[in-house]
Amino acid sequence: MRSLSLAIVTLAMGLAATSPALAAQQENKEIPLTYPETRSVDVVEEQFGEYISDPYRWLENDVREDAEVAAWVKAQNHVTDAYLKQLDGRFVLAQSMEALFDYDDLGTPVEAGGRYFYERKSGGQNQAILYVRDGATGEERVLIDPANWSDDGATALAGWKPSGDGSLLAYAIQDGGSDWRTVKVLDVATGEVMADTVEWAKFTDLSWMPDNVGFLYSRFPEPDEGEAFQSLNENHAVYLHRIGSEQAKDVKVFATPDQPELNHFAELTSDKEWVVITSSSGTDDRYEITLIKVDAPELETRKLVSGFDYNWRLIDGAGNTLYFMTNKDAPRLRVVKVDLGGDQPEFTQLVPESDAVIDGAMIVGDRLVISYLVDAKSQLATFDLAGQALGTLDLPGPGQVDSLSGSMKGDKGFFSFGSFNRPTTVFRYEPEAAPTIWAEPSLPFDPEAVAVTQRFYESKDGTKIPMFLVHMKDQDLSQGAPTLLYGYGGFNISVLPQYKPAWMAWIKAGGVFASANLRGGGEYGKEWHDGGRLQNKQNVFDDFIAAGEYLIAEGIAPEDGLAIEGRSNGGLLVGAVVNQRPDLFTAGHAAVGVMDMLRFDRFTAGRYWVDDYGYPDKEQDFRTLLGYSPYHNIRNGTDYPALMVSTADTDDRVVPGHSFKYIARLQALDTGEAPHLIRIESRAGHGSGKPTDKLIEEYSDIYAFLADAIGLDLGQ
């Protein structure tokens, strides 16, 4: 979850309205709801004097390896599909989403050797295509099109990096939504894919060494047979792959075998003088920094920052001067520089902390551009390299700046801007000039017809929480409308304005969309994050519950017209709050959620999350986790809202066993007459790389379910 490893999945159109799956939606067959029988087992374990029952432990087994789990998945999907076929709204939503995906979803360009590399996904395409131009105004040509990589469109381009001179490109392939990556190399001039292949890369950057001798990447050891999607990830290491050689000859550049839990990411300064390795012990932004002088004969390492105490993010470097963002002595971050020429390098402050939170930065020539967050909205400010403020840059409105791309060697940079009602527009920045539009999409709707406003409400302890409301401008909120409330609240991740076709389909159908900026995120810096993690995790649930209470009290959502949604940590959020306040919400969608808080650290990347959740084997953390774990706190004899749980068989981030066990217990207990269903996707993972046609099917299913539960009329 480290910021430079994060990928924001942007999506485009692609489901034919005449597909058999959607045609069946029009039949409107009334089918009684009977859940599959789920075998329970006698598993009871004692922890700190508590006896913990886990009757569905067997559902943790890998669906690809266990025939009984596979049969259970098939039976659950059969029940869910039969229920969903009753809902005419699926067909209406799918048509709306097809139209709303019909735009150019734009990536920010990267310049290398006079060539410009960028992604674009247009209407009708399942995956983004990588293009290249020779020169900023040159004619574009397709460099990589993943359309033919798989029959189902579930194999995606998942990262790429051109060499310094732009002649070669290293790129990562993601299959079926997995976090594992295969890295290959392409000759940019000819488009020829070279023989170089790297396997078992994961949580990696790609960084080219000078003169195209090779690139740095991060990987784990090859897992045991049958364990690729569930075994713990340990012994991450940085390797150098030399062009033209086999992977078996790759050189291990940096590893910590005495600390197998650490992750390591390598990047180079734009002048290729220094390799900067950032090491992390979990999901917290607390890093050690190790340096390698590129021209040193043996690539010897040199520790710059020891101790996992603070956030350090490289901006760029020139010669022996490196520039970082850090929260050391600055909870909302500041910019510092360090001169590596001396025996004892010391950091000196360049731009001090302010009331706003630093969210990102780039250096273009001799200009520092900083992206700030002010009440969960982006602002851009410029400075010279002495730290002197030069002014702010105008943005189109409240929204999110992302993907800052520039270097100290260049004379121009790029950034993207988007909002709930505006897909990404790419801007070019040149010092001494205002940003200009480099690329903007033609929109399938009128953004001026959609209102984006922000409100603040009080949480249980009096803390003011910001929340965005998005709806059609001609809609009178005082009359109330079915409302979808979204939240996340964790891992220092800021939930900022962004365009999603599924959300817009909900809004255009007459619903209100609300996004709450809960504690646990990064919207207000370290204090905001700390206020929603570990022993303070209940604050996140209180913030979300208070958002629901506010929406109903203000008449925005009817008392029986509020649905909630969250993904991953947000899926945990949905599971926790419906246990605590089943009376408040009428429906919910918990996507790829962390549902068993006592065993999350035993699978794949789960061990990293102890920074936010705590350690299940430590008593204080255990008792906090047990107090809100969705799987362990389902209330028998209580009416629950309508719930849709969604997951995928290839999710090797939050393994699907979390969702399997949760829904099995929810269905087995007396939790009322409302439907409690699970939708299990095949050849899909935690979210990234999912093809557009699958997204349209998924969200037409889920939002039709929510709309039906809370009374949003989708028509026929």
Side-chain angles (χ1 to χ4, degrees):
M1 299 181 185
R2 183 169 171 267
S3 57
L4 60 86
S5 300
L6 290 173
I8 298 175
V9 184
T10 48
L11 314 164
M13 173 201 139
L15 180 64
T18 56
S19 69
L22 289 180
Q25 297 170 18
Q26 302 173 78
E27 297 178 9
N28 198 28
K29 297 177 180 176
E30 293 294 335
I31 300 174
L33 184 61
T34 303
Y35 303 125
E37 290 289 333
T38 302
R39 177 173 65 89
S40 63
V41 294
D42 186 19
V43 174
V44 179
E45 296 173 335
E46 188 270 336
Q47 287 182 263
F48 303 110
E50 302 282 350
Y51 290 90
I52 308 301
S53 172
D54 191 0
Y56 305 107
R57 174 76 60 85
W58 65 276
L59 286 172
E60 293 178 350
N61 295 342
D62 191 337
V63 64
R64 289 166 298 273
E65 303 290 335
D66 188 305
E68 186 180 11
V69 175
W72 181 89
V73 166
K74 183 177 181 180
Q76 289 286 345
N77 273 340
H78 178 76
V79 170
T80 299
D81 290 346
Y83 184 89
L84 292 172
K85 285 179 181 178
Q86 302 178 80
L87 306 178
D88 292 318
R90 294 167 75 209
F91 184 73
V92 176
L93 279 173
Q95 288 184 313
S96 177
M97 288 182 200
E98 285 178 358
L100 292 167
F101 272 105
D102 191 10
Y103 71 101
D104 284 343
D105 192 357
L106 305 166
T108 304
V110 172
E111 190 274 333
R115 288 181 166 129
Y116 290 77
F117 301 80
Y118 54 93
E119 290 185 38
R120 185 175 70 241
K121 182 163 61 170
S122 301
Q125 295 171 343
N126 269 330
Q127 300 289 352
I129 295 173
L130 180 63
Y131 295 87
V132 65
R133 291 181 187 175
D134 292 324
T137 60
E139 184 176 351
E140 72 176 21
R141 59 185 172 91
V142 174
L143 196 59
I144 296 177
D145 183 356
N148 297 320
W149 285 356
S150 63
D151 292 337
D152 61 0
T155 306
L157 178 64
W160 46 270
K161 182 69 68 67
S163 60
D165 64 1
S167 65
L168 298 177
L169 182 99
Y171 63 97
I173 300 170
Q174 175 188 28
D175 186 57
S178 170
D179 282 334
W180 292 112
R181 303 290 187 263
T182 298
V183 182
K184 301 186 79 66
V185 180
L186 179 145
D187 183 303
V188 174
T190 65
E192 178 186 354
V193 178
M194 301 166 65
D196 300 74
T197 300
V198 166
E199 302 283 1
W200 304 113
K202 193 175 194 180
F203 308 142
T204 183
D205 293 330
L206 301 171
S207 298
W208 282 92
M209 298 293 280
D211 303 322
N212 300 349
V213 298
F215 58 87
L216 300 172
Y217 68 96
S218 303
R219 61 161 291 183
F220 291 100
E222 181 177 351
D224 293 338
E225 181 73 26
E227 294 295 321
F229 296 101
Q230 289 207 320
S231 62
L232 279 174
N233 299 147
E234 293 184 316
N235 292 301
H236 208 227
V238 176
Y239 284 82
L240 170 63
H241 175 76
R242 297 185 183 277
I243 296 301
S245 66
E246 298 178 353
Q247 184 176 7
K249 297 180 180 179
D250 288 358
V251 178
K252 186 183 292 186
V253 173
F254 187 76
T256 51
D258 56 331
Q259 294 176 284
E261 74 279 5
L262 299 185
N263 277 10
H264 311 290
F265 307 86
E267 53 191 322
L268 270 73
T269 54
S270 59
D271 63 1
K272 306 293 185 183
E273 292 283 333
W274 291 93
V275 175
V276 180
I277 298 173
T278 303
S279 300
S280 62
S281 61
T283 56
D284 262 9
D285 291 326
R286 297 181 291 111
Y287 306 124
E288 288 191 339
I289 303 295
T290 303
L291 304 177
I292 299 175
K293 192 74 167 74
V294 171
D295 59 5
E298 298 297 332
L299 293 180
E300 296 175 352
T301 61
R302 170 184 178 183
K303 187 73 73 176
L304 178 64
V305 176
S306 297
F308 295 95
D309 299 316
Y310 301 105
N311 186 355
W312 298 92
R313 281 188 273 170
L314 176 71
I315 303 172
D316 203 350
N320 285 332
T321 303
L322 304 184
Y323 298 82
F324 288 87
M325 298 178 289
T326 183
N327 64 358
K328 185 178 187 299
D329 303 321
R332 298 193 177 199
L333 286 84
R334 60 188 177 125
V335 175
V336 298
K337 65 178 181 179
V338 60
D339 184 354
L340 303 176
D343 293 334
Q344 297 293 328
E346 292 186 3
F347 289 94
T348 58
Q349 181 167 277
L350 195 65
V351 178
E353 180 186 26
S354 70
D355 291 338
V357 176
I358 294 179
D359 188 47
M362 67 177 174
I363 300 177
V364 179
D366 60 357
R367 290 290 185 268
L368 171 65
V369 182
I370 297 179
S371 176
Y372 286 99
L373 290 183
V374 179
D375 290 332
K377 303 179 294 292
S378 293
Q379 293 184 0
L380 284 178
T382 61
F383 302 81
D384 64 24
L385 292 186
Q388 180 67 39
L390 301 176
T392 59
L393 301 178
D394 291 336
L395 296 172
Q400 174 183 184
V401 168
D402 198 14
S403 303
L404 295 165
S405 173
S407 76
M408 298 185 73
K409 292 179 61 179
D411 59 1
K412 62 178 68 68
F414 298 90
F415 64 89
S416 66
F417 177 85
S419 189
F420 293 110
N421 62 341
R422 293 183 183 276
T424 296
T425 295
V426 178
F427 288 85
R428 176 170 53 198
Y429 167 76
E430 297 178 83
E432 314 298 342
T436 57
I437 293 175
W438 192 77
E440 62 180 334
S442 297
L443 303 183
F445 66 98
D446 178 10
E448 298 302 325
V450 181
V452 179
T453 60
Q454 188 178 42
R455 300 197 184 187
F456 292 80
Y457 65 91
E458 282 194 5
S459 189
K460 183 178 180 179
D461 62 359
T463 301
K464 293 288 187 180
I465 311 295
M467 177 167 59
F468 289 100
L469 298 179
V470 192
H471 57 91
M472 301 305 295
K473 276 186 179 177
D474 59 5
Q475 195 169 2
D476 183 0
L477 288 190
S478 67
Q479 299 301 307
T483 299
L484 176 60
L485 171 62
Y486 179 84
Y488 185 79
F491 297 98
N492 201 35
I493 293 173
S494 302
V495 179
L496 305 180
Q498 58 180 305
Y499 173 75
K500 289 195 174 184
W503 291 349
M504 188 56 64
W506 180 273
I507 293 160
K508 287 178 69 66
V512 174
F513 176 78
S515 179
N517 296 103
L518 314 173
R519 280 175 285 185
E523 290 87 345
Y524 294 100
K526 188 176 186 301
E527 182 180 357
W528 198 253
H529 178 211
D530 288 345
R533 69 187 185 108
L534 300 175
Q535 313 311 317
N536 296 323
K537 188 66 176 177
Q538 182 60 42
N539 286 336
V540 183
F541 312 139
D542 291 342
D543 291 354
F544 203 53
I545 289 168
E549 292 173 334
Y550 174 87
L551 290 166
I552 292 172
E554 291 292 308
I556 296 167
E559 288 189 2
D560 60 352
L562 179 60
I564 54 175
E565 180 178 43
R567 296 186 58 83
S568 192
N569 175 72
L572 156 64
L573 170 68
V574 170
V577 298
V578 297
N579 282 337
Q580 295 180 15
R581 286 296 306 277
D583 60 305
L584 180 62
F585 311 107
T586 305
H589 171 217
V592 292
V594 187
M595 299 306 204
D596 184 343
M597 300 310 298
L598 303 185
R599 290 176 59 79
F600 70 86
D601 60 339
R602 304 187 184 206
F603 302 97
T604 62
R607 65 177 180 80
Y608 302 132
W609 311 335
V610 295
D611 286 343
D612 247 52
Y613 298 148
Y615 292 83
D617 60 355
K618 295 182 179 180
E619 184 171 3
Q620 183 184 26
D621 293 343
F622 164 80
R623 297 200 179 280
T624 299
L625 292 165
L626 181 60
Y628 68 77
S629 177
Y631 175 59
H632 297 95
N633 286 280
I634 298 171
R635 295 158 61 177
N636 195 29
T638 299
D639 288 345
Y640 270 60
L643 287 171
M644 176 66 75
V645 176
S646 63
T647 187
D649 62 357
T650 317
D651 189 347
D652 50 3
R653 185 87 54 85
V654 179
V655 294
H658 281 280
S659 295
F660 294 173
K661 291 166 55 175
Y662 171 75
I663 199 67
R665 180 169 265 177
L666 190 67
Q667 291 175 349
L669 296 179
D670 176 12
T671 52
E673 297 300 319
H676 304 140
L677 302 171
I678 186 168
R679 186 185 189 280
I680 305 159
E681 189 75 75
S682 61
R683 275 188 49 77
H686 200 59
S688 66
K690 187 174 290 186
T692 302
D693 56 5
K694 278 193 175 185
L695 284 162
I696 292 174
E697 287 196 51
E698 176 182 2
Y699 277 95
S700 61
D701 282 354
I702 291 165
Y703 284 7
F705 175 88
L706 297 178
D708 181 68
I710 69 173
L712 177 61
D713 184 4
L714 298 173
Q716 295 188 17

